[in-house]
Amino acid sequence: MDTHRLLMKLWRSLVALVMGFFIINVAFMVAAVGTSSVARRWLGTWLPDGYTFSWYQTAWKEFQLDSVLWVTIEVVAAVVFLSILIGVPAAYALARRNFRGKNLLMGLFLLPLMIPPITYGIPLATVMYQAHIAGTIFGVILANMIPAVPFMILVMTPFIEQIDANLESAARVFGANTFKLFWHVLLPLLAPGILAASLLVLVRTIGMFELTFLTAGPDSQTLVVALYYAVFAAGVRAPQSVDAMAMVYMAVTLAWLLIALQFVNPTQLVSRVKEHPQTA
């Protein structure tokens, strides 16, 4: 018994040590990038010679961040909206109907999420360029929907399955049509799931590099692709301005994460759905 307790204590200490090492490394990397983004000159010293926020203004003008951010907002908003529009009804059909090949269909939905995007992104981009869709914002939206819609379906299906179908039958008995059934019965119960899935799709789309990189043009680059070109494209650029752009990308992602946590508790998503039918 003492040996078991000792091993468990050693295991917990090892896990805490690894997690602490990881967190400290991430914190130092973020601190280094943040410090470089406001450094006047930083060569061979522990701290920069001076500090300035002018690099953010330089990055904003040099990389045209206003248009890049606007394209990012358009792509993310369109992908989230279309994923809800397509994914929620599809998830409802899968949750409420049993048919031959249902498991196979669910397996197909998993493929874009399990395999690396680059494996199907290259042939997808080839087809889209032949169809003259790639290089436009519509092409970027279409490419990002390929993993987003299955993700929405897979997240929403368990939420719908946990809603008692008798509630829908009762609403039908009292004369509710399809629209009223959805608006007054299903939507309030599904709201936590839709919100959670939408925020997850939003974060995934902001960080989706491969598909966006392969299908974006000069006027349809999202922030993550613009950051890649800022680092690896030809030409000489001040590292401080690139770091400033990286901090902008980090700030946008962190802002959405904080907004998500205000509305969604990831550890209680399923339990909240379970509680709704009981209180209805």
Side-chain angles (χ1 to χ4, degrees):
M1 192 67 178
D2 292 337
T3 304
H4 177 71
R5 290 180 179 177
L6 179 61
L7 290 175
M8 290 300 297
K9 186 176 181 179
L10 290 174
W11 172 251
R12 290 169 184 164
S13 300
L14 179 61
V15 171
L17 182 64
V18 172
M19 291 180 62
F21 179 77
F22 174 78
I23 293 173
I24 290 173
N25 272 275
V26 172
F28 272 110
M29 285 189 291
V30 173
V33 175
T35 304
S36 177
S37 68
V38 295
R40 292 184 183 275
R41 187 174 179 272
W42 194 9
L43 295 172
T45 58
W46 283 100
L47 293 174
D49 298 337
Y51 300 93
T52 178
F53 285 95
S54 61
W55 294 114
Y56 285 87
Q57 183 178 3
T58 302
W60 192 273
K61 294 179 179 179
E62 181 179 2
F63 304 122
Q64 299 178 346
L65 290 184
D66 51 347
S67 60
V68 171
L69 286 172
W70 180 247
V71 169
T72 303
I73 292 172
E74 289 180 326
V75 171
V76 170
V79 170
V80 171
F81 175 76
L82 292 174
S83 297
I84 295 173
L85 194 64
I86 299 172
V88 174
Y92 180 83
L94 289 172
R96 290 289 187 255
R97 298 288 185 269
N98 290 319
F99 51 88
R100 184 177 299 177
K102 179 179 177 179
N103 293 332
L104 177 61
L105 185 60
M106 294 295 290
L108 291 176
F109 286 148
L110 284 172
L111 287 179
L113 307 177
M114 295 179 62
I115 62 178
I118 195 71
T119 57
Y120 62 86
I122 294 176
L124 172 66
T126 302
V127 173
M128 293 179 68
Y129 273 106
Q130 291 176 348
H132 304 288
I133 300 175
T136 66
I137 191 170
F138 174 74
V140 175
I141 293 171
L142 187 62
N144 278 273
M145 283 182 60
I146 291 177
V149 172
F151 185 80
M152 176 69 71
I153 294 173
L154 292 173
V155 172
M156 287 302 304
T157 300
F159 279 90
I160 299 173
E161 288 176 342
Q162 293 176 75
I163 297 176
D164 193 350
N166 292 327
L167 293 174
E168 302 174 38
S169 301
R172 293 286 189 186
V173 169
F174 285 102
N177 55 27
T178 302
F179 176 78
K180 290 183 178 180
L181 173 64
F182 174 78
W183 188 259
H184 295 289
V185 179
L186 290 179
L187 186 60
L189 298 176
L190 292 178
I194 293 175
L195 180 60
S198 300
L199 291 171
L200 292 174
V201 168
L202 183 148
V203 174
R204 284 174 58 89
T205 305
I206 291 177
M208 178 57 69
F209 170 74
E210 295 93 339
L211 297 179
T212 307
F213 173 76
L214 292 171
T215 56
D219 299 326
S220 56
Q221 296 177 6
T222 60
L223 190 56
V224 64
V225 175
L227 178 59
Y228 172 84
Y229 279 117
V231 176
F232 295 103
V236 179
R237 294 175 178 84
Q240 291 93 333
S241 62
V242 176
D243 291 335
M245 185 177 181
M247 292 301 297
V248 171
Y249 173 72
M250 191 182 309
V252 170
T253 307
L254 182 61
W256 280 114
L257 177 61
L258 293 176
I259 293 173
L261 293 178
Q262 292 296 318
F263 294 96
V264 179
N265 186 346
T267 62
Q268 297 179 352
L269 291 177
V270 176
S271 62
R272 290 175 62 186
V273 176
K274 288 182 178 178
E275 292 170 359
H276 279 292
Q278 297 176 0
T279 59

